[in-house]
Amino acid sequence: MFRRTALAATAFLAAGALLLTGCTNGSPGPSAPAGDPDPAASVAIRLVLEPGNLDIRETAGAALDQILIDNVYQGLVSRTPDQEIVPSLASDYDVSPDGLTYSFTLREGITFHDGQELTPEDVVWSLSQVKSNESYRDSARLAKVSDIAAEGQTITLTLDEPDSTLLWNLTGRAGLVLKKGDDVDRQTDANGTGPFALGSWKQGDSITLERSEQYWGDPAQVAEVVFAYIGDNQAALSGALAGELDVLTGFDANLADQIEANGDFALEVGESTDKGTLAFNATEGPLADVRVRQALRQAIDKESIVAALGAGTTQYGPIPSLDPGYEDLSEVAPYDPGAATALLADAGVEDLELTLTIPSAYGTTVSQILVSNLRDVGVTLQVNPVEFPAWLNDVYVNKDYELSFVLHTEARDIENWANPDYYFTYDNPDVQRLYAESVAATDEAEAAALLAEAARLVSEDHAADWLYNGASVVAVSTAVTEMPSTNVNERMNLAELAKSGE
């Protein structure tokens, strides 16, 4: 959900990497439909978590990034599902060898959805607004930019010091280009440059995007996309089988046989940067003892969680396999209930009782396994399911929790472990130093190596537990093509989505 706070309240079943046969790896949906693509088609896509408002500058939550970035709002650069940085509103870009100057060539002939022309001044204003407004979610991402200027169609960003994350950050909220002086109410409306314009929002039900006839690129292949917010997987399955839904994201891989039974749908499982994260609040109490945290990690059978979810892979550190700096850290805290029991005894902890705060949208599968695993080593786990707004207030904002579980979807978010003010409450100067050195590096390999070193320290400190690396589990109608299947909990570029006629 969050940009670098990356939380997905998608169903708990959006688990891990490619465990199902015949799956794509980010490639669009099933085989070609029987008929030709219908430019008047409407595609209904099931999502789980509805945003509270549409203000992507100030409102946390991947629910906004998922539907608005690339589709409605765009930046100078974007990213592919496989995490490659590519031009968008800029036709090309260049970075100086010293990493201090970024030059972008803005495309000509681009208009906003309200018909007004996109100008270089709009770009300079948009980026300057992000940098100067701390209330914007990604304001700090432009902190090292000292100057933003335009000459003709060339936009130049000058930095005080190198920032290896800048281009990546510009593919997200920090780089979105809005219209200078626009009076649109961004909480309920939008005015972007993407292939789709906001059509309507039926709060509590759905958000509809309509093809923009003014789009500067190839026009969208469907007339509209309807995002239907349905939290329950069985309800989503019923809707699909009744012909009311064309795509189900955040789907349960264990329901593959049911969704594929009549041949109208195929299950697509793609890689993702989703991280099922069990956070430990180590500021006080038993969790302040590293032995207790290690014991909890070694008491949890990650393989059983992955098996229960039906798709997934284990993960033992803060960096997933798609991100720079990934390293297999399974040896740091392998499943070993005997070792967990001994660690608790060594820490002098008996009859430990802990509370797990978890968004209720995740269901009970993961929490039940945690309860059982921890009971085996003498720890009583009380599960406290809450609505997501309550989780945001209590855990994310006020840090009022002992254990918490959420699915962090955002790519390249190890920076949260270098931020002691983040809700993880983790404060390690060495990790902070390594992350800062990675940001300052001008060589990609060096930057990645520093991140790997930081991630190992985080895992060896047992700062949290990573229960699984999630997958994008998507059920797609055989009438639909070009549906993304990698990292769809984070972003979904639907510009090429198509649906055949009846």
Side-chain angles (χ1 to χ4, degrees), residues 68-77 88-90 106-107 109-119 122-123 126 175-180 182 190-198 210-220 495:
L68 295 182
I69 298 182
D70 295 324
N71 297 317
V72 175
Y73 293 120
Q74 297 175 302
L76 292 169
V77 288
S88 184
L89 295 178
L106 181 65
R107 300 179 193 270
I110 298 176
T111 60
F112 288 94
H113 295 146
D114 65 359
Q116 297 186 63
E117 179 186 3
L118 168 67
T119 68
D122 292 319
V123 179
S126 295
L176 297 180
V177 176
L178 306 182
K179 183 66 183 176
K180 181 179 180 180
D182 204 344
N191 181 29
T193 58
F196 293 95
L198 180 67
E210 300 174 347
R211 177 172 54 223
S212 172
E213 303 299 340
Q214 305 173 102
Y215 182 52
W216 56 270
D218 293 334

Side-chain angles (χ1 to χ4, degrees), residues 20 167 195-197 208 259 274 285 295 322 343 352 409 415 428 493:
L20 302 185
L167 263 185
F196 293 95
T208 299
I259 193 66
D274 297 357
L322 282 179
L343 282 163
L352 179 60
T409 68
E415 65 178 21
N428 184 324
N493 188 333

Side-chain angles (χ1 to χ4, degrees), residues 135-352:
S135 63
Y136 289 174
R137 300 295 308 175
D138 280 4
S139 177
R141 307 198 180 286
L142 301 184
K144 295 184 179 180
V145 177
S146 59
D147 186 65
I148 305 168
E151 182 176 347
Q153 293 297 112
T154 301
I155 312 296
T156 302
L157 275 62
T158 305
L159 281 65
D160 289 324
E161 56 185 283
D163 182 353
S164 65
T165 69
L166 180 62
L167 263 185
W168 177 263
N169 290 333
L170 290 175
T171 69
R173 295 190 184 197
L176 297 180
V177 176
L178 306 182
K179 183 66 183 176
K180 181 179 180 180
D182 204 344
D183 60 1
V184 66
D185 182 354
R186 291 184 188 141
Q187 292 209 353
T188 58
D189 202 354
N191 181 29
T193 58
F196 293 95
L198 180 67
S200 62
W201 181 14
K202 298 178 181 177
Q203 295 192 26
D205 181 74
S206 62
I207 291 176
T208 299
L209 303 184
E210 300 174 347
R211 177 172 54 223
S212 172
E213 303 299 340
Q214 305 173 102
Y215 182 52
W216 56 270
D218 293 334
Q221 299 299 298
V222 295
E224 69 174 15
V225 176
V226 179
F227 298 111
Y229 293 97
I230 304 171
D232 182 73
N233 272 292
Q234 286 292 341
L237 174 64
S238 298
L241 297 180
E244 298 169 354
L245 297 168
D246 300 295
V247 177
L248 309 179
T249 68
F251 195 58
D252 185 349
N254 293 302
L255 300 177
D257 290 344
Q258 295 182 51
I259 193 66
E260 295 181 333
N262 61 10
D264 291 337
F265 283 82
L267 199 67
E268 302 290 318
V269 181
E271 292 182 278
S272 86
T273 56
D274 297 357
K275 299 161 288 293
T277 305
L278 182 66
F280 301 153
N281 190 338
T283 54
E284 60 184 8
L287 292 173
D289 190 324
V290 66
R291 294 169 296 182
V292 174
R293 300 196 301 272
Q294 181 178 351
L296 296 182
R297 293 188 71 191
Q298 296 203 250
I300 298 170
D301 184 359
K302 317 278 192 311
E303 296 285 357
S304 69
I305 293 175
V306 170
L309 296 173
T313 187
T314 54
Q315 181 174 328
Y316 293 85
I319 298 180
S321 59
L322 282 179
D323 282 356
Y326 170 74
E327 179 186 5
D328 181 358
L329 297 173
S330 56
E331 85 283 0
V332 174
Y335 175 55
D336 188 339
T341 301
L343 282 163
L344 290 172
D346 186 56
V349 173
E350 296 181 358
D351 301 321
L352 179 60

